[in-house]
Structure formats: structure tokens, C-alpha cells
Amino acid sequence: MPTSQYNRREFLGVMGAAAAAAHAAPGREQPNVLYIMADDHASHAITAYGSRINKTPNIDRIAKGGVRLNNCFCTNSICTPSRAAILTGQYSHKNGVYTLGDALDPNRNHVAKELKNAGYQTAMIGKWHLQTNPTGFDYWNILPGQGVYYDPVFIDGGQKKKHSGYCTDLITDFTLDWLKQRDKKKPFFALCHHKAPHRPWDPAPKYAHLFDGQTIPEPDNLYDHYEGKARSVAAVKMRVGEDMNKTDVKMDLPADLQGDALRKWAYQYYIKDYLRCIQSVDDNVGRLLDYLDAEGLAKDTIIVYTSDQGFFLGDHGWYDKRLMYEESLRMPFLVRYPGAIRPGTVSSDIILNIDFAPMFLDYAGVKTPAEMQGRSFRANLEGHSPSNWRTSMYYRYWMHNSNDHHVPAHYGVRTKQHKLIYYYGKPLGMKGANEPATTPEWELFDMQKDPREMKNLYNDPAYRGLVDKLTSELARLQKEVDDTPA
Ligand code: CA
């Protein structure tokens, strides 16, 4: 590289990046990363994942040009903890962010800090939701807390400013503005975090009437009445209809409807607004992809589309997330990186949100710090999964019976075929506990015979041997990640 084009500082910067890149595959530069994360976007509302209820042509462009992960799972399915796990590469019990009420310690190491040290310029735009202000970013412009959809306030490097417009469009505007003015000599790591499609599912005015006059297909288990499930699961308050308010459906709930009839009615209002919000997310993913194409950046940029967790879209009659059930546990994860990842591929390996940071660091030629518990899945993305890749995963939700949805705290193990969940009730002094104890309960599901998780097999004598095996595996994983049994 001819040094005459660079001043000394730039030269050292380039050499630092080159040294870091030396750890990467030969001949590959440090790639840019554009990481787009929605909030509560379930994979079954993405065409590339087989959605029956909407179309996402722009998100699908990433799937067509790259790889779709079919078994990407969250380690604690709720906003703040998942965001902390993604950044730090650590489970909640290691990074200290167990519940919606916990803050990310600004001094804690995370992926953006590591990449900044390796020569990247870093930006965080949109929903942060980790209580403390971001650290490790050259630029940050975030929503305060949850933020709002219409004319939102943003905190730009500490300064509050109200903007006119729709949140999803604005977050994309700010991302594009930053990309346009960035230092083009350095690789970038840009986090574009949407608020959408989080509750209260307020659509952009231009999409207020999208789906009017249509009937959105119902999930086959919309009228689940939880027979055989853990009693604490049957009691959770996230039923479409009965556990909604007038903000959710944008009108008073009809007094003459109850139970299944109310569920049927509310589902259409709920799902249409949810999908309208996604329509704006998809449009704005298209704007970012078009920018990368127009600037000739697509080839050198890893672009990811994901969500902080999944969501129940009327599945089991529910909205929201938190539970270890599939629709909540599964994160959509699509990634395109031309040249390294073959277009239109699919991986069914078990990948976790704590693996994201090590994967980005791997591509940047940075060694994963010892405290990160995740593992790079770069090889998996590129079609040659390590033979010793994990075949089971550990999950833990800590926010016991919090007053909004009354979901019990639980932990569990998921393998490719089975899932064992333990709702442990309330031990003394448990983080997030604010209600009386509940009786410990178990659930077992066969994901191949019963992918919709309708039949709890835990008490079936035929499954005794499997229960023992999975209970041991759960204990092994818990020990491996250094968590403490309840
Ligand atoms: Ca979320």
C-alpha cells in the first residue's frame, strides 16, 4: 500500500486495521457491518420464513443474497436483556441485565468497543433501551426508553431533540445521514435498531388502511385453551382480546364479546396494525440496501436483519413473548456478505444471540474476549459448520410474574428435537420476583411430532427416559454457562 497517500495518523490507522485483518482469512479486508434489528418482529411475519400473513420483499433481498438461520434463538426473550446479551456476548446472569428494569453497566465491554479498538467507526441509531447512555460508539442517536412512533424525541449524543415524522423512517434517515458523512477510510459498524413493530403497534399514517377489507389468516392454535400445559402458563395474561386494552386495538373492546369470540375479533385489529408497522420496516430496509448498492458498498458489507426476540402472532391465542415457546424463542436472522456467504442458503444449526458479537469480531479479525460466552458462527454461515457445534441450548427468563403479563420465571433446554422447560416458582430473593410463590412445574415438547407445542409430554410415562436425559443435559448446560439452579 503506497504510504504517500496517507498522513502519519491515517497510515497508523490503516496499519492497525491491517494488523487486525491479518487474523482474518487471507486476502479479506475488515468488512463493514450494517446490523438492522427490529423489536418484536417474529420470523413468521417474514416471507423468507414462509409468512402466510404478509410480504416483506426488501427483507427477503437479504435472504436471497445470503443465508437464513432457521434455529437462531434468544437466551432470554425480552427486549432489554436480549439487547444486552447481543452486545456483550453474555447470558443475563453474567452481564447483569436480567429484566426490563436492569441497566447495562456503561463500563462493561461489548462488541462495539472491541471493534472500535480494532479500527472501526461505530454508530448506534434507534431503540437502545438499556437505561444508561451508550458507550463504545463514535456516534449515537437513540430513543429515550421505549420511544414513541409519531414525532419522537431522540437523544443525539446526550442532547434531546424532538423530530417530526414516523419513527421507522427517522431511524433510517439518521442511519443514512451517518453513513453518508462517515470517514470512508475506516470500516463501519452501524447498528440500526427499530422500535417497530413493538406494542402499541402504531402504523405510519400512509399505511393506516393497509389490509382494510382483508381477513388475515388465523394461526391454527389461536383458540388454544392450554389443556395439559403448566398451570402458570395457562394463567399468563397475554391473550389476544381478553388481555388487551383500548390502546392495543385503537378503540373500546366490544362489551358483548368474550373468550374465543373476542379473541377472533381482536386478532384482526392486532395483527393488521402489527403488519402495518412491519411494512414500514421493510420499506426502510429497502432504502438501506439501495444505498449500499448505489455506493458500491454491498460487496464489502455484512448486512444483518434480525429482531431482539420473536413474538406470538396469535399463536396459542397470545401476543407478546417471554416464554420459551418457539414463536417467542426464535429470532429471525438473515445475513448477506457476498463473496463469503453463498446466496440463498439456509442453516439449521442452533445459533444464539450471544454468538452475534463473536461472529462480528471474527469477521473483523478480532479474537473473542474470554468473558464472552458465545461462539463465532462464521463457519456455519459460510456452509462448513464445525463438527463440534452445539446440539442444545440453555434459556432463562427471570422476570417472575411481573405485573404486566404474569409470565413465570423459567429455564429450559432445547435440542433439535425436544424442549424441556422448568417453571421453578419463586425462590427467596430471586431477581425480579414481586409476587407470591408458584408451584414448580415442568413441560416437555417433541418439536418434530408437535412443532406447535400443543401436547405437554412431561407426565407421559413413555417419556420418562427422555425426561431424565434432558434434565441431565439442562444441568450440564447450566453448569457450562455458570448459572445457578433455582
Ligand atoms: Ca423486543
Side-chain angles (χ1 to χ4, degrees):
M1 183 175 293
T3 56
S4 58
Q5 291 173 14
Y6 300 89
N7 64 32
R8 181 174 159 75
R9 192 177 60 82
E10 286 168 345
F11 176 69
L12 290 174
V14 168
M15 292 310 285
H23 296 282
R28 192 172 297 147
E29 300 286 323
Q30 284 180 310
N32 301 310
V33 176
L34 177 55
Y35 176 88
I36 308 169
M37 184 162 76
D39 191 339
D40 296 356
H41 189 176
S43 53
H44 50 316
I46 294 175
T47 330
Y49 280 93
S51 172
R52 300 159 57 241
I53 55 175
N54 68 333
K55 293 205 164 34
T56 51
N58 289 298
I59 295 168
D60 298 345
R61 285 162 66 185
I62 303 176
K64 286 194 185 93
V67 59
R68 180 183 86 219
L69 300 188
N70 270 354
N71 287 318
C72 181
F73 299 127
C74 192
T75 50
N76 180 359
S77 179
I78 190 152
C79 304
T80 304
S82 180
R83 284 151 199 273
I86 288 165
L87 285 168
T88 62
Q90 295 176 309
Y91 272 89
S92 305
H93 63 276
K94 288 290 177 189
N95 64 33
V97 183
Y98 299 84
T99 75
L100 289 177
D102 294 315
L104 180 67
D105 177 354
N107 296 314
R108 188 169 285 278
N109 192 27
H110 62 64
V111 60
K113 292 184 183 182
E114 289 285 333
L115 289 174
K116 192 163 149 63
N117 288 338
Y120 276 72
Q121 53 194 322
T122 56
M124 164 64 223
I125 298 138
K127 184 173 172 184
W128 172 248
H129 204 208
L130 288 161
Q131 315 252 11
T132 48
N133 282 339
T135 51
F137 294 95
D138 296 304
Y139 170 73
W140 55 274
N141 192 5
I142 60 169
L143 294 167
Q146 293 276 3
V148 295
Y149 278 102
Y150 304 130
D151 298 337
V153 168
F154 280 78
I155 311 173
D156 182 349
Q159 292 295 110
K160 278 195 180 180
K161 192 182 166 197
K162 191 176 167 77
H163 297 263
S164 299
Y166 186 63
C167 196
T168 308
D169 299 332
L170 290 167
I171 288 168
T172 307
D173 292 346
F174 300 152
T175 305
L176 286 168
D177 289 348
W178 182 80
L179 286 170
K180 285 172 190 165
Q181 62 77 57
R182 78 190 193 280
D183 176 355
K184 293 186 175 148
K185 291 187 290 298
K186 288 181 173 181
F188 63 80
F189 180 68
L191 305 182
C192 172
H193 288 191
H194 288 297
K195 170 184 175 58
H198 194 280
R199 196 183 185 192
W201 316 299
D202 290 328
K206 68 176 171 184
Y207 288 131
H209 297 288
L210 184 70
F211 306 113
D212 274 5
Q214 296 181 40
T215 302
I216 307 292
E218 294 174 354
D220 57 4
N221 56 2
L222 179 63
Y223 306 104
D224 190 353
H225 292 130
Y226 322 114
E227 292 90 352
K229 290 207 163 65
R231 278 169 302 155
S232 51
V233 170
V236 303
K237 295 198 177 304
M238 44 193 209
R239 290 167 300 177
V240 171
E242 286 158 287
D243 299 321
M244 284 180 163
N245 57 43
K246 64 183 289 185
T247 309
D248 294 325
V249 292
K250 320 292 188 294
M251 69 184 88
D252 288 320
L253 279 92
D256 56 333
L257 294 180
Q258 288 170 340
D260 287 354
L262 179 62
R263 201 177 282 189
K264 187 178 188 65
W265 177 89
Y267 171 75
Q268 292 296 326
Y269 287 95
Y270 153 54
I271 203 70
K272 285 179 184 178
D273 274 341
Y274 179 87
L275 296 177
R276 287 166 183 144
C277 290
I278 290 170
Q279 190 72 32
S280 288
V281 172
D282 189 70
D283 291 351
N284 280 288
V285 168
R287 291 176 67 204
L288 291 170
L289 288 168
D290 290 347
Y291 172 80
L292 295 183
D293 288 343
E295 293 294 305
L297 287 167
K299 170 173 73 66
D300 302 317
T301 302
I302 295 172
I303 182 162
V304 169
Y305 184 82
T306 186
S307 167
D308 59 347
Q309 10 64 209
F311 212 67
F312 294 105
L313 306 181
D315 313 282
H316 300 284
W318 291 322
Y319 64 101
D320 215 76
K321 55 264 182 177
R322 301 162 196 256
L323 289 165
M324 200 188 164
Y325 284 31
E326 288 298 274
E327 296 81 4
S328 157
L329 180 71
R330 174 170 288 113
M331 307 167 80
F333 196 99
L334 305 166
V335 53
R336 186 186 79 180
Y337 182 30
I341 297 173
R342 279 185 300 131
T345 50
V346 175
S347 170
S348 294
D349 294 337
I350 295 177
I351 308 290
L352 307 179
N353 59 351
I354 56 171
D355 299 329
F356 299 179
M359 181 272 288
F360 290 130
L361 294 178
D362 191 357
Y363 272 112
V366 179
K367 193 168 177 292
T368 298
E371 75 273 12
M372 287 192 181
Q373 297 176 294
R375 179 176 174 187
S376 170
F377 53 105
R378 175 180 177 170
N380 312 61
L381 295 177
E382 296 179 2
H384 40 92
S385 304
S387 57
N388 64 350
W389 192 256
R390 73 168 72 83
T391 55
S392 63
M393 61 84 62
Y394 178 65
Y395 177 86
R396 186 163 187 174
Y397 174 78
W398 294 79
M399 220 165 128
H400 186 64
N401 278 7
S402 74
N403 42 21
D404 39 0
H405 293 299
H406 295 263
V407 174
H410 55 287
Y411 52 70
V413 54
R414 191 200 190 282
T415 64
K416 283 278 180 76
Q417 190 175 350
H418 298 103
K419 188 185 289 179
L420 179 72
I421 314 173
Y422 180 46
Y423 304 92
Y424 49 81
K426 183 203 166 194
L428 275 178
M430 197 186 75
K431 188 100 184 150
N434 58 6
E435 289 219 342
T438 51
T439 312
E441 297 177 279
W442 293 85
E443 288 181 336
L444 171 70
F445 296 105
D446 184 327
M447 310 308 304
Q448 281 175 12
K449 289 184 188 149
D450 177 30
R452 302 292 278 158
E453 295 165 299
M454 297 299 287
K455 192 168 170 50
N456 176 13
L457 302 167
Y458 187 79
N459 293 315
D460 184 335
Y463 288 85
R464 224 50 257 159
L466 180 66
V467 163
D468 290 346
K469 208 173 128 202
L470 289 172
T471 307
S472 301
E473 178 63 3
L474 177 57
R476 188 194 68 78
L477 285 170
Q478 200 161 41
K479 198 171 168 193
E480 185 180 274
V481 305
D482 197 25
D483 193 14
T484 312

